[in-house]
Amino acid sequence: MGEVARSGCCPPMDLFRSEPMQLVQLIIPIESAHRTVSYLGDLGLLQFKDLNADKSPFQRTYANQIKRCGEMARRLRYFKEQMLKAGVSPKYSTTPVDVNIDDLEVKLTEIESELTEMNANGEKLQRSYNELVEYKLVLQKAGEFFRSAQSRAIEQQREYESRQLGGESMETPLLQDQELLGDSSKQIKLGFLAGLVPREKSMVFERILFRATRGNVFLRQATVEDPVTDPVSGDKTEKNVFVIFYAGEKAKAKILKICEAFGANRYPFAEELGKQAQMITEVSGRLLELKTTIDAGLLHRNNLLNTIGAQFEQWDVLVRKEKSIHHILNMLSLDVTKKCLVAEGWSPIFANKQIQDALQRAALDSNSQVNAIFQVLHTRELPPTYFRTNKFTSSFQGIIDSYGVAKYQEANPTVYTVVTFPFLFAVMFGDWGHGICLLLAALYFIIREKKLSSQKLDDITEMTFGGRYVILMMALFSIYTGFIYNEFFSVPFALFAPSAYDCRDLSCRDSTTVGLIKVRDTYPFGVDPVWHGTRSELPFLNSLKMKMSILLGVAQMNLGIVMSYCNAIFFRNRVNVWFQFIPQMIFLNSLFGYLALLIIVKWSTGSQADLYHILIYMFLSPTDDLGENQLFVGQRNLQLVLLLLAVVSVPWMLVPKPFILKKQHEARHGVESYTPLESTDESLQVESNHDSHGHEEFEFSEVFVHQLIHTIEFVLGAVSNTASYLRLWALSLAHSELSSVFYEKVLLMAWGYNNVIILIVGLIVFIFATVGVLLVMETLSAFLHALRLHWVEFQNKFYEGDGYKFHPFSFSLLDDEE
């Protein structure tokens, strides 16, 4: 695309308009393609176009290489997960990794196999260890059941023998001898099962056992004091040791199914006490052996993970670079000879020398016989937008880009937003005490920006850190407007000079208007402190802030219209200059510019004229005498002229432009149907489309309706936008009143009780209310309202924001893309 001549009122600036861009073509020999793309990635000044958009990812030349890189990236993610679980953090090293990507692939495969095998063995050993721990608990707790039962049986046997030796009594049951001396072959052999069941399921477990066996079981449970690690899930669980006595195989089968359903782990158990002690000894020995083996395995695994962590960052960067390089190579097309790759992309004009140097170095380092060819292509396609920003301006540019990316060579609102955004915020937030608090927060992030930029932050902290310079500017302007309002946490101070007013006598000591006389020179900067303190201040500050809001709104809307003039001049669009900029400027300033002039004259002269009356009757009765509302000589005649200009400017915007565009279209396409359009907004829109062939149909009705909508929108918007700027006045008063309420009704009231505890409580409440409401909620509220004033009231006068951002291939952006 040919460069558009810079002309007009706006000086060229790096941030004011996009860097001049060009579409370039690279013809790269295959043997040096990889290194060429790598060097261009280090440079980060070329946005590649996808020349294989019609192919799926699997049909492209380097699909297998990308698949290999994806597999290596998966292994690295697996290593990172294992390091996080083991508490090993990757160590960043500045020494470059001297390893080939193929060698790295083999190395990562071997490490993954080794680590996977170690994990599997470790899990098996840990499960065995946990099972033995449970087994030992069962042996200990269940052994107590058997020992207590055996001791009771011995006591009962001794008691029975003593009764036999002492002779029978009259009270001895008649059937006792028959029961005791009955046939031993008819005695039932009881079986038993031992294990552990989760404590939370123990009651249900016991109930189900009783119902399933119809009460033909005997269950004993003992609580395990400390949680144990479950061998299956690996979680810490509170459990009970149980022993179930049953009779018959059917009962055993039911019990086994119930244990399985409840996740109860069963363990073998000997009835003899000697075998139990022997088993406890064996289990304890095996536990010691397993503990030693597990510790040795963990030590070996940690050593391996530390080795991985020492080189993880370098491996990760290398794999991501390799994957991104092959992704770019897949966007290039093979030439007819299949010996070269053809690339196309956008780059800034200033980067030509750097790109050519990178191509030469790549050919030299690759020992290529042929150098890559660099050439500029001419196209009608709309280039991407590229603004060179720094860490200070990037956050302001992000605010504008959130609304829409500027069209190529369109005027960038960021230049003015750097000042106007924090200033309008401060108009609503003005308090130099609160501004100092914001300043301290911003300075904290700025001083520690190197450390914080290298850390992983949560969403809110990251957003705040990214806008640290915006907060800095908002804080500085808030301190400035706070000095103008003379408010420090709503308290006025005579910082620059004593008050210009004093009381005539003691009766006016609490007044701010009646009874005051001027005894000194006017307070040099901001509002006189005497105007604060009682309700009499409210009408004065109301009037001051309301009129100031109108002045700021009219000034910023005029700036927006001037910006549209800059765009029209830059793109040589004379139609917009004559039939958009001039009538818009006349309409806006005939009404609201005149209102701003009246405000300034009233402030200068000290007149008591009613500006509402003047503006309303300027439309209702323009020829009537102004009477006491007249501010200067010839005011009525001036109002008639301005009203006439405002009425004339509406058809001026509406009617001529569609007819002129139609005439230009007919003249152009009557001579040559493929001549580029150069002088209208519609021409720029045609050029922004992708390589259009021929010309589009000119629909006069559509153009006329579009112009009608645009005219109505501007006329109504001029009124609504001016009213919208009154939010500056409303939020400023709300902030001031909230601050006064917290100061008077919390802090001063607590101070009046002369009680230390009440004073401390009041101070804490005041601090939390100030931070939570005024420094957080009010800051967010003022920020959003300032954002709306810029996006809607300011930018809609000139900013289209329908471009697309310049995204160069750069290794430095890989982290953001990930």
Side-chain angles (χ1 to χ4, degrees):
M1 173 179 284
E3 254 203 86
V4 184
R6 295 183 182 271
S7 59
C9 64
C10 303
M13 304 168 67
D14 286 344
L15 195 60
F16 190 74
R17 297 196 187 276
S18 170
E19 287 290 335
M21 307 294 289
Q22 61 187 0
L23 183 64
V24 300
Q25 184 183 65
L26 309 179
I27 302 176
I28 311 168
I30 287 183
E31 62 269 16
S32 64
H34 184 281
R35 197 177 295 270
T36 299
V37 174
S38 177
Y39 288 176
L40 291 175
D42 291 329
L43 185 61
L45 289 172
L46 182 63
Q47 176 180 324
F48 288 90
K49 292 179 64 177
D50 189 359
L51 303 182
N52 298 314
D54 56 334
K55 294 182 180 180
S56 68
F58 303 102
Q59 294 175 329
R60 304 199 180 198
T61 308
Y62 296 92
N64 290 331
Q65 285 81 349
I66 289 181
K67 186 177 180 181
R68 287 175 55 200
C69 293
E71 188 64 20
M72 285 189 283
R74 181 197 62 78
R75 293 190 180 104
L76 289 171
R77 288 195 299 271
Y78 172 69
F79 297 160
K80 189 173 184 179
E81 292 173 0
Q82 296 299 313
M83 286 189 292
L84 290 175
K85 289 180 181 179
V88 177
S89 57
K91 300 176 181 63
Y92 181 75
S93 176
T94 56
T95 56
V97 179
D98 187 16
V99 62
N100 188 292
I101 192 67
D102 297 325
D103 297 336
L104 180 61
E105 183 180 17
V106 174
K107 189 172 184 178
L108 294 180
T109 304
E110 293 175 352
I111 293 176
E112 183 188 25
S113 301
E114 183 180 0
L115 189 57
T116 303
E117 185 178 357
M118 292 173 67
N119 288 338
N121 293 335
E123 289 175 0
K124 290 179 182 178
L125 291 173
Q126 190 64 45
R127 178 165 183 169
S128 300
Y129 181 82
N130 294 334
E131 288 176 348
L132 287 176
V133 170
E134 287 194 344
Y135 192 16
K136 186 176 180 180
L137 289 171
V138 171
L139 291 173
Q140 292 172 344
K141 296 290 184 181
E144 294 176 2
F145 297 157
F146 280 84
R147 284 192 295 272
S148 62
Q150 187 176 19
S151 63
R152 285 197 301 270
I154 291 173
E155 290 176 0
Q156 291 175 0
Q157 182 67 24
R158 289 173 179 173
E159 183 180 352
Y160 173 72
E161 290 176 353
S162 65
R163 285 202 302 268
Q164 287 290 347
L165 294 173
E168 295 183 356
S169 173
M170 291 297 294
E171 287 82 10
T172 304
L174 297 175
L175 296 178
Q176 184 178 9
D177 293 341
Q178 297 178 5
E179 290 174 353
L180 294 173
L181 301 175
D183 187 2
S184 61
S185 63
K186 294 182 180 179
Q187 292 181 359
I188 299 174
K189 181 69 175 178
L190 294 179
F192 63 90
L193 294 172
L196 290 96
V197 66
R199 189 175 302 168
E200 59 183 10
K201 301 179 181 179
S202 60
M203 297 298 295
V204 183
F205 179 68
E206 183 175 355
R207 192 178 302 116
I208 295 297
L209 280 174
F210 183 82
R211 292 177 179 176
T213 60
R214 298 183 179 181
N216 293 319
V217 294
F218 178 68
L219 174 67
R220 290 291 303 274
Q221 294 192 63
T223 301
V224 179
E225 291 78 9
D226 299 323
V228 295
T229 304
D230 188 80
V232 178
S233 65
D235 299 330
K236 288 281 188 180
T237 310
E238 293 183 338
K239 292 190 175 184
N240 288 352
V241 173
F242 66 86
V243 179
I244 306 171
F245 296 91
Y246 62 89
E249 292 298 322
K250 289 185 178 179
K252 181 180 180 181
K254 291 180 180 179
I255 294 170
L256 292 176
K257 289 181 180 179
I258 293 172
C259 289
E260 184 179 355
F262 278 83
N265 300 326
R266 294 172 290 102
Y267 296 95
F269 191 79
E271 187 174 354
E272 295 82 1
L273 295 180
K275 287 186 177 181
Q276 293 177 11
Q278 182 182 356
M279 292 173 69
I280 290 176
T281 304
E282 292 178 357
V283 169
S284 299
R286 291 177 61 189
L287 279 173
L288 288 175
E289 294 175 359
L290 276 177
K291 180 65 175 175
T292 304
T293 306
I294 290 173
D295 290 342
L298 287 176
L299 180 61
H300 182 49
R301 180 173 178 270
N302 286 336
N303 290 335
L304 178 60
L305 291 176
N306 282 317
T307 304
I308 295 172
Q311 296 180 300
F312 179 83
E313 291 290 342
Q314 291 86 342
W315 290 348
D316 187 48
V317 170
L318 181 61
V319 170
R320 285 190 283 117
K321 281 186 177 182
E322 193 69 19
K323 185 177 180 180
S324 62
I325 288 171
H326 286 104
H327 176 70
I328 294 297
L329 290 174
N330 269 341
M331 298 170 68
L332 312 186
S333 63
L334 280 169
D335 71 338
V336 179
T337 62
K338 294 189 177 180
K339 294 182 180 180
C340 295
L341 289 172
V342 179
E344 291 183 8
W346 296 101
S347 71
I349 292 178
F350 71 81
N352 286 355
K353 182 69 168 58
Q354 296 167 273
I355 294 175
Q356 291 174 0
D357 290 343
L359 296 178
Q360 291 177 1
R361 283 191 295 111
L364 183 64
D365 294 344
S366 302
N367 297 321
S368 176
Q369 300 287 336
V370 182
N371 289 334
I373 299 175
F374 174 87
Q375 57 184 0
V376 179
L377 301 179
H378 296 280
T379 180
R380 297 176 66 191
E381 186 178 348
L382 186 70
T385 300
Y386 175 43
F387 297 112
R388 283 194 279 183
T389 58
N390 52 39
K391 62 183 181 181
F392 178 80
T393 57
S394 60
S395 52
F396 291 98
Q397 187 64 55
I399 292 175
I400 301 301
D401 290 343
S402 299
Y403 176 83
V405 178
K407 189 166 63 176
Y408 179 64
Q409 294 294 336
E410 184 181 10
N412 185 13
T414 305
V415 177
Y416 302 101
T417 302
V418 170
V419 176
T420 59
F421 183 86
F423 178 69
L424 292 185
F425 168 87
V427 170
M428 295 178 277
F429 193 77
D431 186 301
W432 61 278
H434 298 153
I436 289 174
C437 295
L438 282 184
L439 180 63
L440 294 176
L443 290 177
Y444 169 80
F445 285 109
I446 291 172
I447 292 171
R448 302 190 62 193
E449 65 181 10
K450 288 186 178 180
K451 182 178 180 181
L452 293 174
S453 59
S454 61
Q455 295 179 354
K456 181 67 176 178
L457 306 175
D458 60 86
D459 293 340
I460 296 178
T461 306
E462 185 177 4
M463 180 178 62
T464 307
F465 175 71
R468 59 194 180 279
Y469 288 102
V470 177
I471 299 175
L472 175 67
M473 294 294 290
M474 294 192 305
L476 294 176
F477 277 102
S478 296
I479 294 172
Y480 170 72
T481 55
F483 283 137
I484 293 179
Y485 297 158
N486 201 346
E487 291 186 5
F488 178 82
F489 296 99
S490 78
V491 180
F493 285 91
L495 292 177
F496 304 102
S499 173
Y501 298 90
D502 209 345
C503 283
R504 182 178 299 141
D505 50 46
L506 294 177
S507 62
C508 72
R509 64 172 180 234
D510 294 327
S511 178
T512 57
T513 52
V514 180
L516 292 177
I517 58 174
K518 189 172 183 180
V519 295
R520 303 179 189 90
D521 293 336
T522 303
Y523 193 71
F525 185 82
V527 177
D528 194 303
V530 79
W531 293 104
H532 292 268
T534 67
R535 294 186 177 274
S536 301
E537 69 174 305
L538 193 57
F540 170 73
L541 290 178
N542 248 329
S543 176
L544 171 69
K545 294 181 178 181
M546 180 180 64
K547 292 181 173 65
M548 185 175 63
S549 300
I550 294 174
L551 291 177
L552 294 175
V554 172
Q556 191 173 38
M557 287 191 292
N558 272 285
L559 176 61
I561 297 176
V562 171
M563 293 282 282
S564 71
Y565 169 75
C566 291
N567 281 334
I569 292 296
F570 187 86
F571 292 113
R572 299 176 180 175
N573 192 339
R574 296 181 180 177
V575 175
N576 275 359
V577 172
W578 287 101
F579 302 103
Q580 180 172 311
F581 165 73
I582 294 178
Q584 285 181 355
M585 187 66 77
I586 291 175
F587 181 84
L588 179 67
N589 289 293
S590 295
L591 303 179
F592 303 105
Y594 175 63
L595 176 61
L597 175 65
L598 293 180
I599 292 173
I600 295 174
V601 172
K602 181 178 179 180
W603 280 351
S604 302
T605 60
S607 171
Q608 298 298 317
D610 187 353
L611 301 186
Y612 298 108
H613 183 277
I614 294 175
L615 199 63
I616 291 173
Y617 282 91
M618 177 180 173
F619 292 93
L620 297 180
S621 302
T623 59
D624 288 356
D625 185 64
L626 296 174
E628 61 182 8
N629 289 322
Q630 181 169 331
L631 290 170
F632 52 87
V633 179
Q635 181 178 351
R636 185 180 63 177
N637 296 331
L638 177 61
Q639 289 183 176
L640 289 174
V641 173
L642 293 177
L643 184 62
L644 180 63
L645 288 175
V647 173
V648 170
S649 63
V650 175
W652 190 355
M653 278 187 283
L654 173 63
V655 178
K657 185 175 177 179
F659 291 97
I660 294 174
L661 293 179
K662 180 180 179 182
K663 183 177 180 181
Q664 289 180 347
H665 180 82
E666 292 174 350
R668 256 192 317 271
H669 296 291
V671 179
E672 183 180 356
S673 61
Y674 290 93
T675 301
L677 307 176
E678 295 181 351
S679 59
T680 65
D681 285 340
E682 286 72 17
S683 68
L684 295 174
Q685 184 64 33
V686 171
E687 289 189 4
S688 67
N689 295 332
H690 295 289
D691 295 334
S692 58
H693 299 284
H695 61 86
E696 298 178 358
E697 293 292 332
F698 182 88
E699 293 290 342
F700 177 78
S701 58
E702 292 183 6
V703 175
F704 190 85
V705 170
H706 173 77
Q707 189 62 25
L708 176 63
I709 294 173
H710 180 76
T711 303
I712 295 174
E713 182 182 10
F714 178 81
V715 172
L716 297 180
V719 180
S720 64
N721 292 166
T722 305
S724 183
Y725 276 95
L726 292 176
R727 72 183 67 237
L728 298 173
W729 156 55
L731 266 77
S732 176
L733 283 179
H735 184 86
S736 177
E737 289 300 306
L738 276 174
S739 184
S740 298
V741 167
F742 292 149
Y743 175 71
E744 295 175 2
K745 303 300 182 183
V746 177
L747 192 60
L748 290 185
M749 187 176 292
W751 184 271
Y753 281 96
N754 292 324
N755 187 299
V756 177
I757 297 177
I758 296 177
L759 179 60
I760 294 174
V761 172
L763 183 62
I764 293 173
V765 172
F766 174 76
I767 292 173
F768 275 93
T770 300
V771 173
V773 178
L774 296 176
L775 294 181
V776 177
M777 294 177 60
E778 281 287 305
T779 299
L780 181 60
S781 175
F783 181 91
L784 294 176
H785 282 283
L787 195 66
R788 183 241 155 78
L789 290 176
H790 280 78
W791 280 0
V792 179
E793 278 71 28
F794 174 51
Q795 292 177 193
N796 70 353
K797 306 291 187 299
F798 67 96
Y799 190 63
E800 295 185 19
D802 56 353
Y804 64 103
K805 204 170 183 179
F806 177 57
H807 288 289
F809 171 60
S810 174
F811 291 144
S812 63
L813 301 177
L814 287 180
D815 290 336
D816 297 335
E817 293 173 1
E818 287 293 331

